[in-house]
Amino acid sequence: MAQRAFNLPNMLTYARIVAVPLVVLCFFLEGHLKSSDFARWSALVIFLLASVTDYFDGYFARAWQQTSNIGKMLDPIADKLLVATCLLLLAADTDRHAGIAGWSLWAAIIILCREILVSGLREYLAALKVSVPVTQLAKWKTTIQMVAIAFLLAGPAGDKVFPLTTQTGLVLLWIAALVTLYTGYDYFRAGLKHIMDE
């Protein structure tokens, strides 16, 4: 069991979880929430490395037949921790008009509420021994989310290189929110069928 817990796919998942406080630390380099250009580029690099591990942990687990219960449990949790933390940081950072403010907050709220709803639904269905597979559209949703957050993490620092960095991130965030609504409804409809059967 210990060997499975510390195989490469799981180590990549653990690394993604460790990346969460590191991203937060980047925004607090000066002792308080402040997103300097250096902080944003640092957070972006850590986020991108963490996002890459999301692909490779699943790929190696399947290719090397190293799937494990702990990996199945922690993989989606690591993704949600990373996404939720970044969205909260970007919403809290009002110092330089980073992007997620005003109406854009609704996109972040939709994404976070969907994640909580689906997690609760999965937990309930797991008790019924019912598995809800991840759809291809849900995978695309995750990809769009990650790309949107990457643009928003670069934010004002990225605008100096590519003037539409923040705006691109906001557009992608809204697209992710809309896809999130659809996939959330899809999961809820599938779960509701099993709940009604009970």
Side-chain angles (χ1 to χ4, degrees):
M1 181 175 175
Q3 188 177 4
R4 285 200 301 272
F6 293 100
N7 60 29
L8 180 59
N10 286 341
M11 293 300 288
L12 291 173
T13 301
Y14 303 150
R16 195 153 71 259
I17 293 172
V18 170
V20 173
L22 294 180
V23 170
V24 175
L25 190 62
C26 290
F27 278 73
F28 284 86
L29 287 175
E30 297 182 27
H32 57 94
L33 182 62
K34 185 175 177 62
S35 62
S36 63
D37 286 359
F38 176 76
R40 284 188 166 270
W41 289 124
S42 300
L44 177 62
V45 169
I46 294 168
F47 177 80
L48 290 176
L49 290 173
S51 299
V52 168
T53 68
D54 186 29
Y55 170 78
F56 283 108
D57 62 5
Y59 174 79
F60 288 136
R62 290 186 297 271
W64 297 345
Q65 297 183 343
Q66 290 187 344
T67 55
S68 63
N69 288 333
I70 192 167
K72 289 176 185 176
M73 178 190 72
L74 287 180
D75 184 57
I77 290 174
D79 295 340
K80 288 171 178 54
L81 286 174
L82 190 62
V83 168
T85 300
C86 288
L87 289 177
L88 289 171
L89 274 174
L90 290 165
D93 182 24
T94 57
D95 188 38
R96 298 171 66 192
H97 307 289
I100 300 185
W103 285 102
S104 301
L105 280 171
W106 283 101
I109 290 167
I110 288 168
I111 290 169
L112 291 175
C113 286
R114 183 267 188 195
E115 297 300 352
I116 293 168
L117 174 69
V118 171
S119 295
L121 183 63
R122 282 182 178 278
E123 187 176 339
Y124 173 78
L125 293 175
L128 300 178
K129 305 255 191 290
V130 174
S131 174
V132 182
V134 178
T135 64
Q136 191 60 45
L137 188 59
K139 291 178 181 177
W140 276 107
K141 178 269 303 178
T142 301
T143 302
I144 297 168
Q145 269 182 20
M146 295 300 194
V147 175
I149 289 171
F151 272 96
L152 290 170
L153 281 174
D159 285 332
K160 294 176 182 177
V161 179
F162 172 60
L164 295 176
T165 297
T166 301
Q167 290 305 314
T168 301
L170 289 174
V171 169
L172 289 172
L173 189 70
W174 275 107
I175 292 171
L178 292 174
V179 176
T180 288
L181 274 177
Y182 181 80
T183 57
Y185 168 74
D186 215 25
Y187 278 124
F188 186 71
R189 186 180 58 183
L192 199 61
K193 184 165 75 80
H194 294 287
I195 293 169
M196 292 301 185
D197 289 344
E198 279 290 299

